[in-house]
Amino acid sequence: MLYLHVGDPRSAVDFDESLEGHALRFRIGGRLVGLTIVGARWLLAQGGPLTITVPRRVEIDPTALAAAITHGA
């Protein structure tokens, strides 16, 4: 799993799941403050973009997260 957050992750007051099964955390007002990518290493190894629907579709180039995955190994 890969945990990503912006600011204090404890500011989350609402939780949801993306269509792809990733955990989403929102603060008051609906701003996304945290994301848990389930199976991140495997997903990135597939070579395609990582897709997360938050409520709109977002694609992340695998190279953008490669350093985080390598660092967490």
Side-chain angles (χ1 to χ4, degrees), residues 9-18 22-28 31-36:
R10 295 175 293 172
S11 68
V13 296
D14 192 17
F15 304 86
D16 203 352
E17 183 176 303
S18 73
H22 307 297
L24 309 172
R25 294 181 298 285
F26 300 90
R27 71 176 188 194
I28 293 174
R31 181 166 184 236
L32 181 68
V33 294
L35 170 64
T36 302

Side-chain angles (χ1 to χ4, degrees), residues 44-71:
L44 294 173
Q46 302 310 301
L50 176 62
T51 302
I52 305 166
T53 305
V54 188
R56 64 179 176 83
R57 182 181 173 110
V58 175
E59 289 189 353
I60 303 170
D61 185 319
T63 58
L65 294 177
I69 296 295
T70 302
H71 181 71

